[in-house]
Amino acid sequence: RKLLGRRLEFGTAGLRGAMGLGSCCMNDLVVLQSTQGICAYLESVFGSSAATRGVCLGFDHRSAAGCSSKSFALHAANVFLSRGFKVWLYRDVVATPFVPWCLEQRGCCAGVMITASHNPAADNGYKVYWENGAQII
């Protein structure tokens, strides 16, 4: 129950929680499922232009409990690519503002930054940005 009794929920800007096992933590499965949901939503809002416009992805340096921001970003990129989305993925650690800047420059329909910002080192997050560069609410 402790690991599977609840799910991380989207709050201000996206998901945030401790990295670890179960649906209540940030891990590969939660990132894969969340990205599948984001893909479906973007396709419902933007239609076929969602894939053409694409998404921008960035990540920070966090790593804990066998998880890392970079691996989360790579998993998210693979989900977007499997759905036919154009993907701009930074190849190294970036500051959070680089993602909204990239999506505005490239005309992307959304962006994702894997970071928990100022939260504890064992936490991570999945921040989603809309086409205008603003965090989702």
Side-chain angles (χ1 to χ4, degrees):
R1 289 181 195 237
K2 182 179 177 183
L3 297 177
L4 301 172
R6 67 178 185 84
R7 292 187 65 85
L8 284 182
E9 295 181 9
F10 268 79
T12 303
L15 298 169
R16 191 168 8 265
M19 289 184 272
L21 300 173
S23 56
C24 62
C25 293
M26 286 293 297
N27 56 57
D28 296 345
L29 181 60
V30 168
V31 169
L32 290 167
Q33 291 174 335
S34 299
T35 306
Q36 289 169 342
I38 294 294
C39 285
Y41 184 72
L42 293 172
E43 291 165 344
S44 75
V45 171
F46 297 106
S48 61
S49 73
T52 305
R53 291 177 64 190
V55 295
C56 176
L57 300 167
F59 58 94
D60 68 8
H61 66 283
R62 289 171 185 261
S63 181
C67 302
S68 73
S69 294
K70 184 174 184 175
S71 69
F72 290 164
L74 290 170
H75 289 315
N78 283 323
V79 171
F80 282 115
L81 289 168
S82 74
R83 298 283 286 261
F85 278 72
K86 200 181 292 183
V87 172
W88 283 273
L89 171 64
Y90 285 99
R91 61 181 85 164
D92 205 352
V93 171
V94 294
T96 300
F98 277 70
V99 170
W101 177 83
C102 175
L103 70 94
E104 288 180 343
Q105 295 299 307
R106 300 285 185 186
C108 300
C109 60
V112 175
M113 178 66 187
I114 307 295
T115 182
S117 302
H118 60 278
N119 291 284
D123 285 7
N124 215 329
Y126 183 101
K127 293 183 176 184
V128 181
Y129 294 84
W130 201 241
E131 65 178 329
N132 62 358
Q135 292 181 345
I136 64 164
I137 297 176

